[in-house]
Amino acid sequence: MGDKSGKIVITNNIRRLRFFADEMTQVELADKAGASRQTIMALEAGKYYPSLELAFKISIAFGVPIGEVFECKAKEESNEKSKFKGS
């Protein structure tokens, strides 16, 4: 099923979305999504990846598609190796 060594990075726009949702607090979002404030804080800091269920609950709380809340990108390997290939 493809290359298993590839890594991904999940980023989110929670803080920005909270700001545009009348400056919704972490507690308000946590209540709407059924999570703790600490979980929301960890998500915003990029220290925790949500379950699929929580990710959908957060997107529903904001009334936006899940892709506007979370983004997934392939993690690029260090460019150090590619810098020296042509030398």
Side-chain angles (χ1 to χ4, degrees):
M1 209 182 186
D3 183 10
K4 293 182 181 181
S5 65
K7 302 218 184 242
I8 61 168
V9 176
I10 299 172
T11 59
N12 70 71
N13 297 306
I14 294 173
R15 185 168 290 157
R16 183 180 61 79
L17 288 166
R18 283 195 307 106
F19 178 79
F20 289 115
D22 294 326
E23 297 186 20
M24 180 189 299
T25 67
Q26 289 176 336
V27 172
E28 290 170 329
L29 177 57
D31 288 345
K32 288 182 178 196
S36 69
R37 183 195 60 82
Q38 290 85 358
T39 297
I40 301 302
M41 186 173 66
L43 285 167
E44 286 185 357
K47 297 181 184 225
Y48 174 73
Y49 293 145
S51 67
L52 189 55
E53 179 181 5
L54 180 56
F56 275 105
K57 285 180 177 181
I58 291 170
S59 71
I60 290 167
F62 287 123
V64 299
I66 197 167
E68 287 188 33
V69 182
F70 298 97
E71 297 176 18
C72 177
K73 299 176 185 171
K75 184 175 182 179
E76 294 182 19
E77 292 298 319
S78 171
N79 288 333
E80 294 301 314
K81 292 179 184 176
S82 60
K83 285 182 184 178
F84 297 107
K85 282 186 178 180
S87 299

